[in-house]
Amino acid sequence: SRRQRQMCIRDSLGVTIFFVISGFLITRLLLQELENNDSIDLKSFWIKRIKRIWPALISMISVTIIVSAIFNRILFTKACRDFFSAIFGFNNWYQIFNNISYFDNGGAPSPLLHCWSLAIETQFYLIFPLIIILVSKFKSNKKERYQLLSVITFLLIIISSLLMAFLFQPTGDPSRVYYGLDTRAFSLLIGALLAIFTQYDFSFFLKKPINDVMGIISLLIICFIVTRIAGYDEVLYKGGYLLTSFFTALVILSILRRNSLLSKVLSIPVIDWLGKLSYSIYLWHYPIIILISGGKKSSWYIMLLEVVLSLVMAIISYYIVETPIRRGIISKT
């Protein structure tokens, strides 16, 4: 349906932005640990990622399967089909190898279809820390280490973005390009590259007042892309996603200046609170929309109900499931 396709592209660009943010934050944490301890504890890093991702994910999947079993057996079957790939972080490749389209599903899509993005992040968390560790083994000097890591990351960005451009077929379904770690990694890597640059010389970027203007213009460009470009447009796959990722990095760079306009806006309590809930909101919004309206065009009050339910479930997930587990409630029992 038209609404389903609009939802797909907005989710996609939202996910692209989230990839950049995630790549930046994760790489920054890893580099800070490397500088402080001269090593990275991979086991600890992966356990923290599991605690961050799995509790909310398992809760969402469990509720979705139970509710769909009661009210919609077709969605129940599709959710059960995607269960293992969603939990264990290979949902994107499962969709690719089974030729499941993100854009043209027969009837309502699986309520777990959005787990493809979590799979890409999981795969990035497994691979990129190993690259950082390998570079640190070869280069003990900080400057040389960051230079080599920057070159490798930049080359991977080029390779990934070129793969997206070359594998995209204008006359076919873009789902293979859309789902692939190889074709989407550049967004995470652009965030990682920003983390490398700022970690090496943080003050160089933050002393430039032009960052305010740069951040606002970049944000406006992102808004234009989100509202004006459709999911099948060739421009998205031949530079559009790359540009969105690049401008997202510029927005992050602007926010890093403590007194920048964007950092002040984002520090408003309500916005800051919604930012904390963003992962939970992403997890819950898609299955709720699919279960209620099937992603089809619906009245305003149905859409409002979907928004309210997404927020309510995200709040429950964040405060009752995610936060207690992240603070070690399991290890204390």
Side-chain angles (χ1 to χ4, degrees), residues 4 61 64-65 68 72-88 90-102 104-116 179 286 290:
Q4 186 176 315
I61 291 175
T64 299
I65 288 177
S68 61
N72 192 319
R73 296 306 294 256
I74 294 175
L75 291 182
F76 170 73
T77 301
K78 291 183 177 182
C80 290
R81 178 198 67 193
D82 290 346
F83 176 81
F84 286 106
S85 64
I87 290 290
F88 293 107
F90 62 93
N91 182 264
N92 58 326
W93 296 111
Y94 178 85
Q95 309 295 346
I96 289 171
F97 292 133
N98 287 278
N99 296 314
I100 299 171
S101 173
Y102 188 76
D104 286 312
N105 284 276
S110 166
L112 304 183
L113 187 62
H114 65 317
C115 291
W116 69 270
Y179 287 133
Y286 193 83
I290 298 303

Side-chain angles (χ1 to χ4, degrees), residues 268-330:
I268 295 171
V270 173
I271 296 178
D272 180 61
W273 178 68
L274 288 173
K276 291 177 181 177
L277 293 176
S278 59
Y279 171 59
S280 301
I281 292 171
Y282 179 76
L283 281 181
W284 285 101
H285 86 285
Y286 193 83
I288 285 173
I289 290 173
I290 298 303
L291 284 165
I292 292 177
S293 63
K296 297 177 182 178
K297 186 176 181 180
S298 54
S299 57
W300 67 268
Y301 56 86
I302 293 295
M303 289 189 285
L304 179 61
L305 175 64
E306 292 169 348
V307 171
V308 171
L309 279 177
S310 299
L311 185 58
V312 168
M313 294 307 297
I315 291 170
I316 293 171
S317 174
Y318 182 79
Y319 288 105
I320 296 180
V321 179
E322 299 170 56
T323 302
I325 290 177
R326 222 167 38 242
R327 290 177 179 173
I329 191 172
I330 294 177

Side-chain angles (χ1 to χ4, degrees), residues 239-252:
Y241 282 123
L242 182 65
L243 282 175
T244 303
S245 302
F246 173 73
F247 286 119
T248 300
L250 294 184
V251 171
I252 295 171

Side-chain angles (χ1 to χ4, degrees), residues 54-238:
W54 269 16
L57 177 63
I58 292 171
S59 299
M60 180 275 292
I61 291 175
S62 300
V63 172
T64 299
I65 288 177
I66 292 169
V67 173
S68 61
I70 297 171
F71 296 105
N72 192 319
R73 296 306 294 256
I74 294 175
L75 291 182
F76 170 73
T77 301
K78 291 183 177 182
C80 290
R81 178 198 67 193
D82 290 346
F83 176 81
F84 286 106
S85 64
I87 290 290
F88 293 107
F90 62 93
N91 182 264
N92 58 326
W93 296 111
Y94 178 85
Q95 309 295 346
I96 289 171
F97 292 133
N98 287 278
N99 296 314
I100 299 171
S101 173
Y102 188 76
F103 300 91
D104 286 312
N105 284 276
S110 166
L112 304 183
L113 187 62
H114 65 317
C115 291
W116 69 270
S117 64
L118 294 180
I120 286 180
E121 287 208 50
T122 300
Q123 292 152 29
F124 178 80
Y125 296 156
L126 288 172
I127 297 170
F128 198 68
L130 297 176
I131 295 175
I132 295 177
I133 290 172
L134 285 174
V135 169
S136 69
K137 298 296 183 184
F138 283 104
K139 299 291 183 180
S140 57
N141 178 271
K142 178 180 176 180
K143 182 178 180 181
E144 292 179 351
R145 178 185 294 168
Y146 281 115
Q147 285 177 341
L148 179 57
L149 192 56
S150 297
V151 170
I152 291 172
T153 305
F154 181 74
L155 289 175
L156 290 174
I157 290 169
I158 298 299
I159 292 169
S160 177
S161 56
L162 287 176
L163 280 172
M164 171 173 273
F166 289 139
L167 291 177
F168 174 75
Q169 299 295 326
T171 57
D173 188 305
S175 293
R176 161 62 184 92
V177 177
Y178 187 89
Y179 287 133
L181 171 66
D182 52 347
T183 52
R184 298 301 296 260
F186 61 82
S187 296
L188 287 150
L189 292 165
I190 284 174
L193 188 62
L194 177 63
I196 295 165
F197 286 161
T198 55
Q199 187 68 23
Y200 176 65
D201 190 358
F202 194 67
S203 61
F204 173 78
F205 297 96
L206 302 187
K207 287 180 178 178
K208 296 184 178 295
I210 198 173
N211 275 3
D212 255 357
V213 177
M214 176 187 68
I216 293 169
I217 292 174
S218 299
L219 186 59
L220 291 173
I221 292 172
I222 292 169
C223 291
F224 176 82
I225 294 172
V226 170
T227 56
R228 296 291 181 180
I229 299 180
Y232 278 93
D233 282 357
E234 186 173 353
V235 67
L236 263 183
Y237 300 88
K238 297 195 173 180

